[in-house]
């Protein structure tokens, strides 16, 4: 009999952002001005737990909801009680505030232990069920880190479950397809990526929810080891508004204009759109190589940066060129010159900072290689390109950690892509990707060689593996970075830090984050965000075999079925026409996508291919090999036409580097309209035939 502990979170409602939610001076979002709601994916996780209880015919199974947050987070627990939860626990304590993912996962895991002991009679047959990620943090790191703290298997990105032969079999999303797996032993953590059968509250349920006790615990009740700001391993050092999209986002009101745009976009050179999101930061130079020690690639709050500038200007005015020229008298002079601006303590910190020239972290810059059936994932090459740039500025080497079975054949390609050293962990038990076994291999290599930076792809595999690895080696991790730069940070003179910039709060703000209390700085980046460097076949690399002992117990999952897209699809074509769930049926997909492909091929001398969203593939409109996106194929076509596609981040990642994006969607508020160049509001059934005719008449 399985019980269920469902993790829920109260989050700001990023779907209802009004103008007054932004600070007029800084342009950043003020979180307190947004309404608070239950994280949508957590409602799906709750419904999923209820579904698991139902399909296993287990009336006695308990569902216990757990949240961590301020007292007002009680609201989300009442939501759970009114639907299906039997008991709810609120973990609330000021000491828990300001936590990053490590300092969130840790107390939650300790609370899970206490729930199991006190409410589940130490029953080891339970599932921790979580939403894949929350809309505010958006990292997907907390559930795998909870699994790591509790030493449990983690099944991420679950979309379905069946109860067969006394156990659950889960369908989950993987790169390139889907997989059916079961946990080898329980308990286990699962993260729900999609379960679209919401639970509704009954009148009786709502009344009961408001009468039932919400159990409250503080940290003294659970004795977690990493909590709050102190226990966090990352710190936000700057928040700023996101840059404007470089896409045109122009609405067209008739199909004749749309036909013209399709033809002209294909013929013109519109390469700039594709360059969105790339970091343009100047190359970092170590302090000892700079013309002046007072020159710092300084990053911090705007006030800190301004203070620093005031100090260097004052030093200039006083004619001071070297740190050892700053004696007590000069300090006094500087202080009186800048007194209005900052205090003695801040000045001391900055002056002491000048004496530091050694980077705060030491070691190589590593990339965790992702691969499948002897093929390296393209995102790994992109990360090596970035690692090369970072390592060159730090005068360090690039290492690649390659764990698997019989992987030697991939080492050459990794070297030509930019790696100096390849750390190979080779074992039969690593043949098929298992998160726990792979984590053991990589964590062991990291804690042996201690690279200063570790980069991992933000693919479904990497977004599960990296949090487990980082938690296991006790290091901070930043998810889905769009910018990775080396900078000196803080007035205390931290030299050569990896500054990790990422979108937060549903892309409404950008945050720059640094690692703290860690030996390695770890980050993930989404596929397509970084650029690979041209391969250099003359490069020579070193292979270092790193031995790790594995037993069958290190493998946590039974893989029952894997479905990967195969087929002859030419995604190098210049034009891709994709159909989404909005095309409604396989017949419509054939007719509409087919007709537009034909219409365009008659007009333009171009290679044209059909694409699809993941939802369209799941609906059976077209074979999986046609899927575009994070877990499908990333494309770089000249023209991308999206029919009935909403514009989910996982889809748009795959088309970020296309030159022109055109969208047709019946919803005037479709998110894709903010991420494309031209769009038409209308149904595909209506617009596409008219568009084909307009193309003919052009
Ligand atoms: C880990 C993970 C990986 C993923 N990887 C991918 C991936 O690689 N690729 C991918 O595509 N998705 C991926 N997804 C799924 C993604 O989150 C979205 O669910 C998916 O992209 C939605 O597809 P869609 O836009 O076709 O469907 P929906 O989001 O359902 O949108 C359908 C759209 O069609 C419009 N519409 C409806 N009727 C009509 C009509 N008659 N005419 C015109 N418009 C109409 C609607 O307004 C809506 O905007 C992934 C998800 C996860 C969790």
């Amino acid at each position: 009999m399985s019980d269920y502990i469902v993790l829920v979170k109260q989050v700001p409602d990023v779907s209802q952002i009004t103008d007054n939610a932004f600070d007029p001076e800084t342009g950043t979002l003020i979180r307190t001005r947004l309404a608070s709601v239950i994280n949508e994916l957590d409602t799906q996780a709750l419904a999923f737990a209820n579904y698991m209880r139902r399909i296993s015919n287990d009336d006695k199974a308990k569902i216990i909801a757990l949240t961590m947050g301020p007292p007002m987070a009680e609201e989300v627990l009442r939501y759970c009680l009114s639907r299906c939860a039997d008991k709810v626990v609120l973990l609330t304590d000021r000491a828990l505030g300001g936590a990053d993912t490590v300092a969130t996962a840790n107390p939650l895991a300790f609370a899970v232990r206490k729930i199991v002991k006190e409410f589940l009679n130490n029953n080891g047959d339970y599932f921790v069920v979580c939403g894949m990620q929350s809309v505010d943090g958006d990292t997907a790191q907390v559930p795998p880190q909870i699994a790591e703290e509790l030493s449990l298997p983690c099944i991420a990105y679950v979309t379905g479950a069946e109860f067969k032969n006394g156990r659950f079999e889960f369908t989950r999303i993987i790169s390139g397809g889907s997989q059916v797996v079961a946990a080898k032993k329980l308990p286990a953590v699962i993260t729900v990526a999609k379960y679209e059968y919401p639970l509704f509250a009954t009148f009786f349920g709502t009344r009961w929810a408001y009468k039932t006790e919400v159990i409250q615990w503080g940290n003294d009740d659970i004795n977690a080891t990493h909590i709050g700001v102190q226990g966090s391993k990352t710190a936000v050092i700057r928040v700023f508004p996101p840059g404007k999209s470089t896409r045109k986002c122009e609405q067209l009101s008739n199909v004749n204009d749309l036909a013209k745009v399709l033809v002209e976009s294909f013929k013109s050179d519109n390469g700039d759109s594709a360059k969105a999101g790339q970091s343009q930061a100047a190359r970092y130079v170590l302090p000892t190589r700079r013309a002046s020690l007072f020159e710092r690639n300084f990053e911090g709050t705007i006030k800190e940066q301004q203070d620093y500038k005031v100090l260097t200007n004052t030093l200039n005015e006083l004619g001071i060129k070297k740190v050892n020229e700053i004696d007590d008298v000069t300090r006094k002079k500087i202080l009186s010159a800048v007194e209005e601006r900052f205090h003695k303590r801040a000045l001391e910190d900055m002056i002491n900072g000048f004496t530091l020239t050694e980077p705060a972290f030491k070691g190589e810059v590593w990339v965790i290689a992702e691969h499948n059936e002897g093929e390296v994932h393209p995102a790994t090459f992109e990360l090596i390109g970035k690692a090369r740039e970072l390592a060159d500025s730090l005068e360090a080497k690039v290492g690649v950690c390659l764990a698997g079975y019989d992987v030697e054949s991939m080492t050459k390609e990794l070297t030509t892509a930019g790696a100096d050293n390849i750390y190979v962990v080779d074992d039969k038990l690593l043949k098929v990707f298992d998160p726990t076994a792979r984590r053991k291999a990589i964590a062991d290599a990291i804690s042996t060689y201690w690279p200063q930076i570790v980069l991992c792809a933000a693919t479904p595999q990497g977004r599960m593996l990296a949090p487990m690895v980082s938690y296991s080696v006790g290091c901070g991790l930043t998810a889905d970075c769009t910018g990775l730069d080396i900078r000196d940070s803080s007035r205390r003179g931290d030299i050569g830090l990896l500054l990790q910039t990422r979108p937060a709060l549903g892309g409404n703000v950008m945050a720059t984050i640094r690692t703290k209390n860690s030996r390695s700085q770890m980050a993930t980046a989404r596929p397509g965000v970084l650029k690979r460097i041209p391969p250099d076949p003359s490069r020579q690399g070193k292979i270092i075999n790193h031995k790790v002992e594995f037993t069958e117990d290190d493998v946590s999952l039974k893989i029952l079925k894997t479905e990967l897209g195969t087929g002859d699809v030419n995604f190098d074509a210049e034009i891709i026409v994709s159909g989404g769930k909005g095309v409604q049926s396989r017949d419509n997909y054939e007719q509409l996508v087919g007709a537009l492909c034909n219409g365009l091929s008659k007009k333009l001398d171009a290679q044209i291919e059909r694409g699809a969203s993941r939802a369209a593939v799941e609906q059976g409109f077209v074979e999986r090999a046609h899927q575009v996106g994070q877990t499908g194929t990333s494309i770089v076509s000249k023209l991308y036409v999206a029919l009935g596609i909403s514009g989910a981040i996982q889809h748009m990642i795959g088309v970020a580097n296309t030159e022109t994006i055109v969208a047709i969607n019946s919803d005037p508020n479709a998110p894709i309209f903010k991420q494309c160049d031209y769009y038409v509001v209308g149904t595909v059934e209506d617009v596409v035939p008219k568009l084909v005719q307009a193309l003919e008449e052009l």
Side-chain angles (χ1 to χ4, degrees):
M1 176 187 114
S2 297
D3 292 306
Y4 306 90
I5 300 171
V6 182
L7 302 190
V8 290
K9 187 177 180 193
Q10 192 174 49
V11 293
D13 188 357
V14 291
S15 65
Q16 304 288 333
I17 296 180
T18 49
D19 283 350
N20 78 345
F22 287 90
D23 182 323
E25 299 218 329
T26 61
T28 56
L29 196 66
I30 305 165
R31 195 179 161 145
T32 47
R33 294 216 179 131
L34 299 181
S36 293
V37 291
I38 182 168
N39 184 46
E40 165 63 25
L41 273 167
D42 298 345
T43 67
Q44 297 186 18
L46 181 74
F48 196 76
N50 191 49
Y51 166 74
M52 286 172 71
R53 173 162 74 175
R54 186 159 51 78
I55 58 172
S56 57
N57 277 325
D58 190 355
D59 297 343
K60 294 208 176 67
K62 289 198 188 78
I63 296 182
I64 301 178
L66 166 66
T67 193
M68 178 170 119
M72 69 185 266
E74 185 183 310
E75 258 328 285
V76 299
L77 295 176
R78 303 242 180 249
Y79 172 101
C80 300
L81 283 169
S82 70
R83 268 67 180 181
C84 62
D86 301 294
K87 220 179 228 332
V88 291
V89 178
L90 170 64
L91 194 53
T92 187
D93 193 325
R94 273 182 186 278
L96 300 170
D100 72 350
T101 63
V102 166
T104 302
N106 182 274
L108 283 171
F110 276 73
V112 167
R113 281 198 187 105
K114 189 171 161 79
I115 288 174
V116 173
K117 190 168 159 222
E118 295 190 2
F119 307 138
L120 303 180
N121 297 325
N122 275 325
N123 171 25
D125 182 350
Y126 69 92
F127 286 91
V128 177
V129 187
C130 325
M132 171 184 79
Q133 62 194 37
S134 63
V135 289
D136 55 347
D138 220 0
T139 67
Q141 284 173 195
V142 171
Q145 291 183 328
I146 290 175
E148 195 55 34
E149 172 60 40
L150 297 171
S151 305
L152 303 185
C154 181
I155 306 176
Y157 301 116
V158 167
T159 57
E162 278 187 85
F163 191 72
K164 280 185 180 167
N165 310 320
R167 70 168 182 200
F168 286 102
E169 297 182 359
F170 298 100
T171 304
R172 64 168 182 172
I173 294 173
I174 57 165
S175 287
S178 64
Q179 203 167 53
V180 180
V181 297
K184 269 177 67 183
K185 57 178 192 282
L186 294 183
V189 174
I190 62 171
T191 84
V192 177
K194 193 174 84 178
Y195 183 70
E196 290 168 339
Y197 303 95
L199 292 173
F200 296 100
T202 58
F203 178 65
F204 169 79
T206 309
R207 283 194 57 173
W208 183 75
Y210 280 89
K211 275 198 273 171
T212 303
E213 182 201 0
V214 170
I215 298 157
Q216 284 205 14
W217 290 339
N219 193 46
D220 286 347
D221 298 301
I222 54 165
N223 294 315
T225 50
H226 292 85
I227 59 162
V229 177
Q230 296 291 327
S232 295
K233 292 186 175 285
T234 53
V236 175
I237 54 175
R238 194 160 79 95
V239 175
F240 56 100
K244 289 249 175 302
S245 165
T246 50
R247 297 280 172 194
K248 296 185 185 73
C249 306
E250 190 180 322
Q251 182 177 1
L252 302 173
S253 49
N254 70 65
V255 285
N256 295 330
D257 290 347
L258 181 58
K260 266 190 227 148
V261 153
L262 291 180
V263 172
E264 281 162 18
S265 303
F266 177 73
K267 290 185 175 160
S268 73
D269 188 6
N270 179 31
D272 285 350
S273 296
K275 305 288 185 295
Q278 283 196 52
S279 152
Q280 298 294 327
R283 170 90 179 265
Y284 178 83
V285 177
L286 284 168
T288 45
R289 305 241 181 249
R290 293 178 204 158
S292 157
L293 260 190
F294 301 143
E295 221 180 81
R296 293 270 148 117
N297 275 308
F298 187 80
E299 181 87 16
T301 61
I302 291 173
K303 163 94 171 61
E304 280 178 322
Q305 294 191 40
Q306 287 168 344
D307 285 355
Y308 193 81
K309 196 135 195 82
V310 170
L311 172 64
T312 47
N313 285 347
T314 313
L315 289 170
N316 231 355
E317 281 161 21
L318 294 171
I320 294 169
K321 296 263 175 319
K322 290 189 181 143
V323 185
N324 57 12
E325 289 171 22
I326 311 177
D327 54 15
D328 283 351
V329 180
T330 340
R331 270 171 214 253
K332 276 200 187 117
K333 271 196 215 160
I334 302 171
L335 211 63
S336 65
V338 299
E339 205 170 17
E340 300 269 294
R341 179 114 209 143
F342 43 78
H343 297 293
K344 194 165 174 225
R345 170 92 193 275
L347 179 72
E348 288 294 336
D349 281 346
M350 282 192 251
I351 293 174
N352 290 341
F354 287 142
T355 59
L356 299 172
T357 52
E358 283 300 306
F361 291 83
K362 292 231 172 328
E364 298 183 351
V365 178
W366 272 25
V367 169
I368 299 175
E370 181 169 333
H371 55 92
N372 187 33
E373 306 208 330
E375 267 195 45
V376 179
H377 193 289
T380 301
F381 296 119
E382 295 164 10
L383 292 172
I384 295 176
K386 187 65 180 181
R388 189 71 269 161
E389 175 201 315
L390 301 176
D392 287 347
S393 354
L394 290 164
E395 301 182 12
K397 290 203 157 132
V398 172
V400 171
C401 187
L402 176 62
Y405 179 54
D406 211 3
V407 290
E408 192 100 9
S409 58
M410 288 176 269
T411 54
K412 180 75 194 137
E413 210 182 349
L414 294 168
T415 304
T416 55
D420 299 307
N421 293 329
I422 318 240
Y423 297 82
V424 174
V425 187
D426 203 290
D427 195 286
K428 233 183 185 142
L429 289 173
L430 297 175
K431 187 168 194 293
V432 181
F433 176 79
D434 181 273
T436 312
R438 194 65 69 87
R439 186 271 291 137
K440 180 173 175 179
I442 292 163
D444 197 286
I446 291 176
S447 52
T448 304
Y449 300 100
W450 284 117
Q452 62 175 302
I453 292 172
V454 180
L455 305 178
C456 186
T459 54
Q461 195 181 102
R463 281 178 121 229
M464 172 174 31
L465 185 63
M468 292 172 86
V469 170
S470 72
Y471 197 91
S472 140
V473 298
C475 295
L477 172 71
T478 304
D480 302 336
C481 296
T482 51
L484 290 166
D485 300 296
I486 305 293
R487 286 283 177 277
D488 301 334
S489 174
S490 102
R491 64 188 197 201
R492 290 187 181 83
D494 283 329
I495 305 294
L497 297 184
L498 178 71
L499 294 191
Q500 307 137 34
T501 300
R502 70 180 303 264
L505 284 173
N508 289 291
V509 294
M510 299 297 290
T512 299
I513 293 165
R514 61 162 292 186
T515 308
K516 59 173 195 166
N517 305 333
S518 309
R519 278 187 77 175
S520 283
Q521 308 163 90
M522 297 186 61
T524 70
R526 287 199 152 116
V529 169
L530 305 172
K531 293 281 151 293
R532 68 178 289 177
I533 49 174
D536 174 0
S538 68
R539 283 187 57 82
Q540 296 293 321
K542 202 161 116 195
I543 294 171
I544 296 136
N545 287 304
H546 179 71
K547 190 82 202 127
V548 182
E549 297 297 332
F550 292 94
T551 67
E552 278 292 342
D553 282 348
D554 292 317
V555 179
S556 60
L557 306 181
K558 268 201 167 66
I559 295 176
L560 305 167
K561 194 168 131 197
T562 302
E563 206 183 286
L564 291 175
T566 51
D568 207 6
V569 179
N570 174 21
F571 273 138
D572 290 331
E574 295 143 300
I575 302 176
I576 312 282
V577 179
S578 274
K581 197 168 164 188
V583 303
Q584 318 279 355
S585 67
R586 195 175 171 98
D587 283 352
N588 269 5
Y589 180 93
E590 274 301 316
Q591 272 174 23
L592 300 172
V593 177
L596 189 52
C597 287
N598 285 342
L600 285 165
S601 74
K602 278 187 205 151
K603 204 79 210 160
L604 302 166
D605 180 20
Q607 294 176 323
I608 304 176
E609 183 56 272
R610 298 170 183 206
S613 69
R614 185 168 183 113
V617 170
E618 280 164 0
Q619 296 288 313
F621 299 172
V622 65
E623 289 63 46
R624 194 172 288 283
H626 289 266
Q627 185 187 317
V628 170
Q630 185 190 6
T631 47
T633 305
S634 290
I635 55 167
V636 285
S637 60
K638 244 177 122 48
L639 179 62
Y640 183 70
V641 188
L643 307 179
I645 291 179
S646 59
I649 175 80
Q650 296 92 351
H651 185 81
M652 299 313 286
I653 283 171
V655 299
N657 291 324
T658 54
E659 280 185 20
T660 303
I661 300 178
V662 174
I664 301 171
N665 196 304
S666 55
D667 174 5
N669 297 315
I672 197 167
F673 292 159
K674 293 202 174 116
Q675 307 167 73
C676 69
D677 294 289
Y678 303 98
Y679 65 91
V680 169
V681 180
T683 65
V684 284
E685 298 89 330
D686 181 41
V687 177
V688 173
K690 289 182 186 153
L691 176 61
V692 173
Q693 199 174 347
L695 276 168
E696 253 173 44
E697 289 164 6
L698 208 63

